[in-house]
Amino acid sequence: MEIQTKNLVKKLEHSVLAGTRVTAAEELGKIGDSGAVPALVKALGNTNPKVRAAAAEALGKIGTPEAVPGLVEVLDDPESSIRKAAVSALGKIGTPEAVSGLPKVFDDPDKFVQKEAVKALLRIGSKEAISCLIGALDHPEVFVRKASVVALEKIGTPEAIHGLVKALKDADNSVRQYAVNSLGKISASEAVPELLETLGDSRLPVQEAASEALCRIISVSGSVPLLIKVFGAPDRDVRKASIEALCNIGTPEAVSGLIRALDDPDWYLRRRAVETLGKINSPEAIMGLVKALDVHENAMRKTIVSALGSSGTPGAVSGLIKSLKDPDSSVRETAVVCLEKTGTPEAVSGLIEALKDSKSSVREAAVAALGELGIEDAVPDIVKALDDPEVSVQRTAVCALEKIGTHDAISGLNVALDNPDTSVRKVALKALENIEKSAAWQGSGIPGITPDVSEISEKKAATESPVKINASKAISDLLDSLDDPDTSVRVAARNALLDTLSTSRSVPILIMGLDASDKDVRKVSVEALGRVGTPDTVPGLIKALDDHRWDVRSSAVKALEKIGSSDVVRLLRNCLRDEDPNVRIEAARALGRINGTNALEEFESVMKLEEEEEAEEYEEEYIPESTACGSFTGPASPQLNFEDQVNCFGGSEGQTKVLKTGNYPGISGKNGAIGITQKRSYAREEEYVPSCPACSSSLDLPIDPNFCPFCGLRLKR
């Protein structure tokens, strides 16, 4: 024993001051010298409670087993603070002897002492301590039982779990809930059966706690048998957690449990099981899904079919073909879509059979699937679908034929051009246009029908590219569609021809189109020549300027503007004298865009010439009238010589009208007055109203405009 310890022990034993003894006990505890234990044990019997409490704390810090008997005796001390200090000291010592003295503390009248006893046992954590805690679960005080449950949770050994399972039967619902939560926190999988029973607890909070605990245990468990075991749980969340866990495992071992889950009363859980079986894709899983097609409702069968489609195995294909006879059309339609994904010969046979389905949506899906797969052998069946009573099926058949693109498919598209429905004809036109574009992209030559196409020998035709033949046929059909009774079809055909024929190699064909009897063909040819815009298109455009239709001539003017050469400017100037104002306006605009304001001067000079010609045409037979009374000179008389002045019939002397002298056919009247032919008299000319020289629109406006507000022509100032 050291000198310091001896001095402190001396003070503890002999000092008359309680404060000195308390300080000495505390210092001895800090030093931790086991030689001071006898003196401290003796101090536990001191009359001053503060000294006893300080001695008990010091013994706990030193922690030697020799202090246990003395501390156990202090557990009966009348002061609760001393009992609490003794319990804490026993917990720190932790020997079996120390544990044996703690059970009686559970009967202590002070709850803080009881709680300290539980802490002490938790700190010790030995089998003896666990046994002591399990024994405390039978204590009449709820507080003690709940504290023991918490201590057992923290210990977490199998022995502690056994105690927690025991607490599930506690009469108090809060203790049961504590036990359930504790089992969930430590993921006690061995307690799953008891937790499943707890799902039927009389108290809802306990049921909810049991559900959460099971879900927590299941989420971290990789035991397939355990997961299968909880399928019978009455709680949906528990079953869902089990199925999700099996989905995450995703091994063939989980198949049996998932097949069992197909009978779950909850639709979502059944669907999750089906999806997982489809992903596992083992023979057992596929077989289970195919069998389930016979026992489940429509929505479930549809989900099963989708899972089989994602599998794609031969067994799955047989199940899909079986589903084509399902009484529900949505199931059959889903089966068609899934068969398309597999693409096997067996699947194709099923798709062709589905073309005869009674439901239009199924037939439409089958046609689309065959088109996506590009099945050439299915073309005859797809062509038959063009006569389907549903227009949507007919349109889908057209799209399928376009994707297949064989000669027979093109023939089917030609048939579709005569369809009574406008939308079908438009889709067929678009399909032919796409085929033509594809042909041009593949370099199959000039699209369309060449002038000597009828003279091609059979041998050359036999070696011709099928794409080129199809393209030529498509152009021919597009030209025929310009006569379609429906305006939208004619517009679609026009746009398709413009897109396909607007190449320099198509110029000869386009010039031939200018001789067509149909104005739409001529106009399309002119517009296509304008898109080409090369010098070799000029002869054709000059020819179009003589067309009897003003819109064709106007299109030719627009096309010439794009070329913009000096020869074109001369042609456009001639167009300023066209009989139709629309053509003149378009020519003026074209010249303005090509040469700027110089084009306006040309336009004005031509307009002046036209005005002079019109003035000459105004010369006509005229009956002169008096400047005074307005009376006529009388009936006509053959050619007569007359004086420079003629008296007016009914007028006064000196009121005369100056007439040009000459030999004219005249008009005889009273008093020998004669009327003659002369330039029109402007004596009573109407008030002048300005107008646009291009569009002839009236310009009688509040202000003098710089531009025509109707055609945009800049006016001469």
Side-chain angles (χ1 to χ4, degrees):
M1 184 183 297
E2 296 181 0
I3 297 175
Q4 184 181 5
T5 303
K6 289 181 180 180
N7 293 332
L8 291 172
V9 169
K10 186 176 179 181
K11 290 180 180 181
L12 177 63
E13 292 177 343
H14 304 291
S15 177
V16 296
L17 299 175
T20 303
R21 294 196 296 271
V22 170
T23 302
E26 292 173 352
E27 292 297 327
L28 288 171
K30 292 178 182 179
I31 294 173
D33 192 345
S34 59
V37 170
L40 291 170
V41 171
K42 183 179 179 181
L44 291 174
N46 195 281
T47 57
N48 190 296
K50 292 183 179 180
V51 176
R52 298 199 300 274
E57 292 177 3
L59 289 170
K61 292 178 180 179
I62 296 173
T64 57
E66 293 81 2
V68 171
L71 291 171
V72 171
E73 291 180 3
V74 177
L75 294 177
D76 296 326
D77 195 279
E79 293 291 335
S80 61
S81 60
I82 298 173
R83 299 196 301 274
K84 181 180 178 182
V87 170
S88 177
L90 289 171
K92 293 176 181 179
I93 295 172
T95 61
E97 293 78 9
V99 173
S100 61
L102 292 175
K104 66 177 183 178
V105 181
F106 292 135
D107 296 326
D108 196 281
D110 192 319
K111 290 186 177 181
F112 291 101
V113 178
Q114 296 174 349
K115 186 176 181 180
E116 193 63 37
V118 173
K119 286 183 178 180
L121 292 171
L122 171 60
R123 188 182 294 112
I124 296 171
S126 63
K127 291 183 179 181
E128 294 79 6
I130 295 173
S131 177
C132 194
L133 290 170
I134 293 175
L137 295 175
D138 296 325
H139 197 276
E141 286 290 337
V142 173
F143 170 77
V144 175
R145 301 201 298 273
K146 290 169 67 174
S148 299
V149 167
V150 174
L152 290 171
E153 171 198 334
K154 295 186 179 298
I155 295 173
T157 61
E159 295 80 5
I161 293 174
H162 178 72
L164 293 173
V165 170
K166 177 182 177 182
L168 295 175
K169 305 295 184 180
D170 197 279
D172 186 83
N173 61 295
S174 62
V175 177
R176 297 197 302 273
Q177 187 173 347
Y178 265 62
V180 169
N181 290 334
S182 298
L183 289 170
K185 290 178 181 178
I186 62 178
S187 299
S189 57
E190 53 266 50
V192 167
E194 289 77 11
L195 288 172
L196 289 173
E197 293 180 6
T198 309
L199 290 172
D201 195 275
S202 59
R203 301 290 296 178
L204 181 60
V206 180
Q207 297 175 16
E208 294 175 348
S211 175
E212 293 177 4
L214 284 169
C215 292
R216 188 179 290 111
I217 294 170
I218 290 169
S219 63
V220 298
S221 175
S223 173
V224 174
L226 173 64
L227 297 174
I228 295 175
K229 184 184 295 184
V230 300
F231 277 159
D235 187 83
R236 177 188 181 275
D237 292 336
V238 175
R239 300 197 307 275
K240 178 182 176 182
S242 177
I243 292 176
E244 294 293 344
L246 287 172
C247 293
N248 293 332
I249 294 173
T251 60
E253 292 78 13
V255 170
S256 60
L258 292 169
I259 291 177
R260 180 179 173 184
L262 295 178
D263 297 325
D264 194 279
D266 187 271
W267 180 85
Y268 172 79
L269 301 184
R270 296 198 303 272
R271 191 187 74 175
R272 288 291 292 134
V274 168
E275 292 172 350
T276 306
L277 286 170
K279 292 178 181 178
I280 293 176
N281 201 19
S282 66
E284 295 80 9
I286 300 302
M287 185 180 300
L289 290 174
V290 173
K291 288 182 179 179
L293 288 171
D294 298 327
V295 296
H296 287 285
E297 72 281 2
N298 296 353
M300 191 63 189
R301 295 200 303 274
K302 187 175 180 180
T303 305
I304 293 173
V305 168
S306 299
L308 291 173
S310 63
S311 171
T313 61
V317 172
S318 63
L320 293 173
I321 294 176
K322 175 183 176 182
S323 298
L324 292 176
K325 298 180 180 179
D326 194 278
D328 186 85
S329 61
S330 64
V331 177
R332 300 197 302 272
E333 185 177 350
T334 305
V336 167
V337 174
C338 293
L339 285 171
E340 175 193 342
K341 295 179 181 178
T342 60
T344 62
E346 295 80 7
V348 172
S349 301
L351 291 174
I352 294 176
E353 187 65 25
L355 294 175
K356 304 174 184 177
D357 196 276
S358 60
K359 192 72 174 179
S360 62
S361 60
V362 180
R363 300 195 303 272
E364 183 177 351
V367 171
L370 291 170
E372 290 292 338
L373 294 174
I375 307 300
E376 298 181 7
D377 294 339
V379 170
D381 298 285
I382 297 176
V383 172
K384 290 180 181 179
L386 293 174
D387 297 326
D388 195 276
E390 291 291 333
V391 175
S392 61
V393 179
Q394 299 172 19
R395 290 197 297 263
T396 305
V398 170
C399 296
L401 291 172
E402 175 192 348
K403 292 176 180 178
I404 296 174
T406 62
H407 186 75
D408 293 336
I410 297 296
S411 300
L413 292 175
N414 297 335
V415 173
L417 291 176
D418 297 327
N419 194 287
D421 187 84
T422 301
S423 63
V424 177
R425 298 198 301 273
K426 289 178 67 175
V427 175
L429 280 173
K430 187 65 177 178
L432 290 169
E433 175 189 353
N434 293 337
I435 292 174
E436 173 61 21
K437 288 182 179 178
S438 175
W441 180 77
Q442 296 180 30
S444 60
I446 301 175
I449 304 175
T450 57
D452 58 345
V453 68
S454 59
E455 301 175 3
I456 298 178
S457 64
E458 293 181 0
K459 181 177 180 181
K460 183 177 180 181
T463 59
E464 192 85 24
S465 169
V467 176
K468 181 176 179 179
I469 295 173
N470 294 344
S472 301
K473 182 60 177 173
I475 294 297
S476 176
D477 293 329
L478 290 173
L479 291 172
D480 293 340
S481 297
L482 291 174
D483 296 327
D484 194 275
D486 189 276
T487 303
S488 60
V489 176
R490 295 197 301 272
V491 171
R494 171 184 173 278
N495 295 335
L497 286 168
L498 286 176
D499 290 338
T500 55
L501 294 179
S502 299
T503 60
S504 59
R505 302 175 65 185
S506 303
V507 172
I509 303 173
L510 296 173
I511 294 177
M512 289 179 58
L514 298 175
D515 296 326
S517 59
D518 188 278
K519 71 172 182 69
D520 290 327
V521 177
R522 301 197 304 274
K523 188 174 181 181
V524 167
S525 299
V526 171
E527 292 178 356
L529 287 171
R531 290 196 180 187
V532 176
T534 56
D536 57 342
T537 62
V538 174
L541 296 173
I542 294 174
K543 182 178 180 180
L545 292 175
D546 295 329
D547 197 278
H548 68 280
R549 294 280 304 186
W550 72 267
D551 53 346
V552 177
R553 300 198 303 275
S554 180
S555 297
V557 169
K558 294 178 181 178
L560 287 169
E561 176 194 341
K562 296 179 180 179
I563 299 175
S565 63
S566 57
D567 295 336
V568 167
V569 172
R570 178 179 55 81
L571 294 171
L572 293 175
R573 287 175 179 171
N574 293 335
C575 293
L576 292 173
R577 307 174 71 175
D578 193 275
E579 62 182 12
D580 189 275
N582 295 294
V583 180
R584 297 197 301 271
I585 292 172
E586 194 59 47
R589 290 175 176 172
L591 286 169
R593 285 189 284 265
I594 294 174
N595 293 329
T597 56
N598 293 333
L600 296 177
E601 298 175 0
E602 295 289 340
F603 181 81
E604 291 173 356
S605 65
V606 172
M607 294 305 299
K608 286 181 179 179
L609 181 60
E610 288 185 355
E611 289 176 357
E612 293 175 0
E613 293 175 351
E614 290 177 358
E616 294 176 0
E617 293 176 359
Y618 286 155
E619 186 175 323
E620 60 183 8
E621 293 293 329
Y622 179 72
I623 301 176
E625 55 188 11
S626 169
T627 58
C629 65
S631 301
F632 294 107
T633 59
S637 177
Q639 299 173 351
L640 296 174
N641 293 324
F642 55 91
E643 297 296 334
D644 290 341
Q645 294 184 355
V646 178
N647 291 328
C648 174
F649 170 72
S652 60
E653 185 178 358
Q655 291 177 330
T656 60
K657 186 172 186 178
V658 180
L659 302 177
K660 188 175 181 179
T661 305
N663 250 344
Y664 296 96
I667 303 174
S668 60
K670 294 182 179 181
N671 297 329
I674 300 173
I676 65 170
T677 302
Q678 65 164 28
K679 293 290 182 178
R680 175 178 292 209
S681 170
Y682 294 96
R684 298 181 63 189
E685 185 177 9
E686 295 181 359
E687 183 182 357
Y688 171 72
V689 177
S691 62
C692 176
C695 64
S696 303
S697 300
S698 174
L699 298 178
D700 187 13
L701 303 172
I703 60 174
D704 192 10
N706 294 327
F707 295 88
C708 175
F710 304 100
C711 67
L713 178 68
R714 182 172 181 176
L715 303 174
K716 183 176 179 180
R717 301 295 296 163

